[in-house]
Amino acid sequence: MIPSVLPTYNRAPLSFVKGEGSWLVEADGRRFLDFGAGIAVNVLGHGHPALVGALTDQAQALWHTSNLYEIPQQQALADKLVEATFADTAFFTNSGTEACELAIKMVRKYWFEKGQPERVKIIAFEGSFHGRSAAGIAAAGSEKMTKGFGPLLPGFVQLPFGDHEALAAEMDDTVAAVIVEPVQGEGGIRPLPDACLKGLRDACDAVGALMVLDEIQCGMGRTGKLFAHEWAGVAPDIMLVAKGIGGGFPLGALLATENAASGMTAGTHGSTYGGNPLACAVGNAVMEIVATDEFLADVNRKAGTLRQSLEGLVAAHPDVFEGVRGSGLMLGLKCKAPNMDVINAAYGAEVLIVPAADNVVRLLPALNIPDEDIAEGVARLDKAASEVSKGLKP
Ligand SMILES: *Cc1c(COP(=O)(O)O)cnc(C)c1O
């Protein structure tokens, strides 16, 4: 008999009843150190007083109104995002996937309005992830995500990640846009080198194509800049944001330049919930904390500490791990042992980490994780790795 919850997830037998900072309490009372943060969502950990306050204050006043009316919290959040980024304008969604959908519509409408309605080709990269909608899976294009769901939305081409020659061969004036994650998340924590992102910007400019950056996972302070592309000193035309921006409340956004957004006039797009007062109250509180130099400096310091500890972990368990990669507090351990063995052993040691493709485990802790929790989490990973190691020996 089919379970009452559609069985599309492989769930661990854990259920959490309370969160406190970087700790999650299991129903049986065990305390887990959270190095996953709900897959880069709980940027300020669990139960942060400023977010709880923003949400409960707004809940007392007004939960929801329609986008038929002005929503001051939404306006305030858009102003903050525009102030802090390349963007001139923002649209709010409930998820990353919805932001990705809008990006594809925006790109197509842009060329339609420019009198080139046939210019629909969007270049994406192998190993990428842009959500599970019909457009999102067509963009990423992997067999794993698309098999059985055809016919796929046409117009997408996937190139090997970081393959400059393949890009040069594909880039011409039929390309409407390129979409890329500055650091691939699901794909196995694969950062695009700064020089590649710059090269991609130049390649887009050479043919007039729009550059769309999917910063749903790597944005919102995760890499130690508010947005990962800032490290490369380039700006996109369109950027997708979600996960961290709501700190655990469902919220996403598309940010765009005035030029890229020029086709999206009244009536061309909308959302019932997107940018509602509850979500934006939390989004504003997140931005007030995360989008400050002091906070981001501390993320970089913590990232240095964690990375160094992980290098030590890899050195201590060369049979389990191959190396560390990533940027800021978006780190991956490339495994030699099967990554799910490492993750299950970590559950045993009461520390939460997240699988990714390419036999990688992801560490995406809260950006405000205390130093002592970093040390405790790594100690638990060390214990887990020893367990995995024992299992590997004949
Ligand atoms: C999580 C993610 C998405 C999808 O976001 P949802 O909120 O799950 O819809 C898209 N792109 C990237 C890079 C992501 O990490």
Side-chain angles (χ1 to χ4, degrees):
M1 203 170 64
I2 192 166
S4 59
V5 174
L6 189 72
T8 60
Y9 297 107
N10 285 314
R11 294 178 198 269
L14 295 169
S15 68
F16 297 106
V17 292
K18 191 166 171 55
E20 295 160 354
S22 284
W23 293 88
L24 280 170
V25 183
E26 218 272 346
D28 64 10
R30 281 180 298 160
R31 291 172 61 83
F32 285 71
L33 199 287
D34 186 5
F35 267 170
I39 316 189
V41 167
N42 304 102
V43 274
L44 296 173
H46 302 280
H48 190 286
L51 305 198
V52 173
L55 184 67
T56 49
D57 287 352
Q58 188 59 47
Q60 299 290 342
L62 177 65
W63 289 24
H64 177 79
T65 56
S66 166
N67 282 304
L68 290 168
Y69 316 109
E70 304 281 345
I71 299 178
Q73 298 82 359
Q74 188 183 119
Q75 181 64 55
L77 182 53
D79 290 345
K80 283 192 183 75
L81 287 165
V82 163
E83 167 74 31
T85 67
F86 72 95
D88 303 312
T89 189
F91 182 93
F92 295 100
T93 64
N94 311 289
S95 68
T97 302
E98 289 166 77
C100 182
E101 286 285 326
L102 171 56
I104 290 156
K105 286 178 68 177
M106 183 176 278
V107 162
R108 298 249 163 107
K109 190 69 159 40
Y110 176 86
W111 290 110
F112 177 86
E113 295 294 342
K114 295 266 174 214
Q116 297 184 57
E118 72 292 343
R119 189 163 175 171
V120 298
K121 192 199 287 183
I122 298 176
I123 294 179
F125 294 90
E126 287 170 5
S128 65
F129 183 71
H130 301 298
R132 300 288 197 152
S133 65
I137 63 173
S142 72
E143 170 158 332
K144 184 174 161 234
M145 272 187 286
T146 58
K147 195 174 175 193
F149 296 115
L152 298 177
L153 186 68
F156 295 95
V157 176
Q158 290 82 28
L159 302 181
F161 188 72
D163 184 335
H164 297 230
E165 275 152 40
L167 182 72
E170 198 66 41
M171 279 303 258
D172 56 26
D173 62 7
T174 66
V175 176
V178 173
I179 182 168
V180 68
E181 300 158 75
V183 185
Q184 282 192 350
E186 309 298 310
I189 310 292
R190 294 199 293 173
L192 195 66
D194 290 348
C196 290
L197 205 55
K198 277 199 194 114
L200 196 56
R201 177 74 268 182
D202 293 341
C204 286
D205 290 343
V207 296
L210 299 174
M211 183 161 90
V212 182
L213 294 183
D214 182 341
E215 293 228 18
I216 291 169
Q217 194 161 150
C218 63
M220 287 308 293
R222 179 65 39 198
T223 68
K225 295 270 191 197
L226 187 57
F227 291 102
H229 68 265
E230 295 169 29
W231 288 111
V234 298
D237 301 289
I238 297 172
M239 178 169 71
L240 318 179
V241 185
K243 292 202 165 90
I245 194 176
F249 199 94
L251 177 63
L254 174 142
L255 306 188
T257 62
E258 182 169 11
N259 177 50
S262 56
M264 302 305 293
T265 50
T268 55
H269 196 64
S271 168
T272 297
Y273 291 120
N276 93 350
L278 278 181
C280 289
V282 181
N284 278 300
V286 170
M287 276 295 285
E288 271 160 27
I289 295 170
V290 173
T292 61
D293 291 342
E294 310 78 73
F295 186 87
L296 293 171
D298 213 36
V299 171
N300 284 303
R301 189 187 56 75
K302 288 176 194 297
T305 305
L306 178 58
R307 188 164 192 132
Q308 203 174 12
S309 309
L310 293 179
E311 299 283 4
L313 186 75
V314 171
H317 301 280
D319 50 339
V320 179
F321 300 116
E322 206 172 296
V324 186
R325 62 201 201 193
S327 174
L329 286 174
M330 183 172 186
L331 294 171
L333 286 167
K334 169 83 172 157
C335 299
K336 280 184 192 156
N339 64 347
M340 284 314 299
D341 290 2
V342 175
I343 285 165
N344 287 323
Y347 291 149
E350 298 171 9
V351 53
L352 303 175
I353 49 178
V354 180
D358 201 24
N359 204 35
V360 163
V361 299
R362 274 180 279 180
L363 286 84
L364 309 156
L367 302 182
N368 64 348
I369 184 170
D371 292 355
E372 59 269 27
D373 290 353
I374 293 179
E376 179 60 31
V378 174
R380 290 180 183 210
L381 286 178
D382 184 60
K383 203 174 134 200
S386 297
E387 284 303 310
V388 174
S389 219
K390 274 187 218 157
L392 292 172
K393 292 197 179 107

